[in-house]
Amino acid sequence: MTDFTKVKANLEKRGYAVSCFATAAEAADYLDGKLDGRTIGIGGSVTVREMGLLDRLKAHNTVVSHWEGSRKEDAAFTQVYLCSVNGLAETGEMVNIDGVGNRIASTVFGHEELYLIVGRNKLASDYDGAVWRARNVASPKNAIRLQRKTPCAVKGDKCYDCNSPERLCRGMTVLWQPSNGIGRTEVVLINEDLGF
Ligand code: SF4
């Protein structure tokens, strides 16, 4: 069982709302109960898919996701946005790496509410560890999932800072505090491994 006490306190000190759950099922119940009659953008989050949230939210919200056939751009105009992070430092910084940029753009601008849903496997002890995790754990796993022809997908062990035309990693964001371009940001911590 991961102890979220320190990271929760540090996130709250930075201005985030934080909720903690023992299981993904409990977190899914919470979000499904909270979000009703809204437009919700989901930018291809494996975490959200593993939680079974997509179908539940679709039953009583308008969900915009390229997994559901929408254009990636369309999720930028929803009231609510859901995604995860690739690395969360215990000191409170959150790191995301993106190729197209839709996901990282939506974590800093344009929504009334943002929920960052984070499994315990994303936690690192400090900022450098969170960046290292995003680059060397999350990105290679995503490259394998997307069957990219990159050295990290072939070897599956670390980032090679490649120059491949299929390189996934085109930009990285660090959230130090809730963005002024978002109405309200909540971090949902879950004591299970979820996503990459
Ligand atoms: S930069 Fe290239 S090698 Fe490194 S994780 Fe991204 S796609 Fe893989």
Side-chain angles (χ1 to χ4, degrees):
M1 195 87 169
T2 302
D3 183 0
F4 287 139
T5 311
K6 212 191 272 182
V7 68
K8 181 174 187 289
N10 285 330
L11 285 165
E12 285 172 343
K13 214 183 291 171
R14 288 171 185 268
Y16 294 103
V18 182
S19 51
C20 297
F21 298 91
T23 66
E26 286 170 39
D29 286 347
Y30 168 72
L31 289 165
D32 190 35
K34 197 163 182 175
L35 300 172
D36 181 50
R38 315 290 296 279
T39 56
I40 303 176
I42 301 175
S45 164
V46 173
T47 294
V48 171
R49 192 164 58 182
E50 286 177 353
M51 292 169 74
L53 253 182
L54 209 74
D55 286 338
R56 291 184 66 176
L57 292 174
K58 261 167 53 182
H60 54 106
N61 295 276
T62 301
V63 172
V64 180
S65 167
H66 60 273
W67 280 344
E68 298 290 303
S70 306
R71 296 179 315 146
K72 283 196 170 88
E73 299 90 302
D74 294 339
F77 301 103
T78 54
Q79 293 168 306
V80 179
Y81 196 80
L82 305 184
C83 73
S84 189
V85 300
N86 297 135
L88 164 62
E90 197 158 40
T91 40
E93 300 94 338
M94 288 179 279
V95 178
N96 262 326
I97 290 175
D98 208 351
V100 175
N102 56 312
R103 195 169 52 104
I104 57 176
S106 276
T107 63
V108 290
F109 186 73
H111 300 279
E112 293 170 16
E113 284 178 55
L114 168 68
Y115 292 87
L116 297 165
I117 307 168
V118 188
R120 64 183 175 191
N121 51 315
K122 308 289 182 72
L123 195 62
S125 58
D126 57 15
Y127 167 74
D128 287 341
V131 172
W132 187 92
R133 187 193 186 280
R135 297 195 70 182
N136 292 286
V137 178
S139 291
K141 283 186 174 174
N142 272 317
I144 291 168
R145 172 175 70 93
L146 297 167
Q147 299 180 317
R148 295 297 176 98
K149 294 184 187 70
T150 58
C152 64
V154 173
K155 297 192 178 178
D157 55 350
K158 62 171 188 171
C159 172
Y160 290 83
D161 198 13
C162 70
N163 201 22
S164 161
E166 295 203 12
R167 175 175 169 131
L168 281 178
C169 314
R170 306 275 168 164
M172 185 177 89
T173 49
V174 179
L175 295 175
W176 284 296
Q177 295 201 343
S179 167
N180 288 335
I182 302 272
R184 177 181 178 275
T185 301
E186 178 169 334
V187 183
V188 179
L189 299 172
I190 302 174
N191 221 313
E192 285 181 358
D193 293 347
L194 287 162
F196 304 144

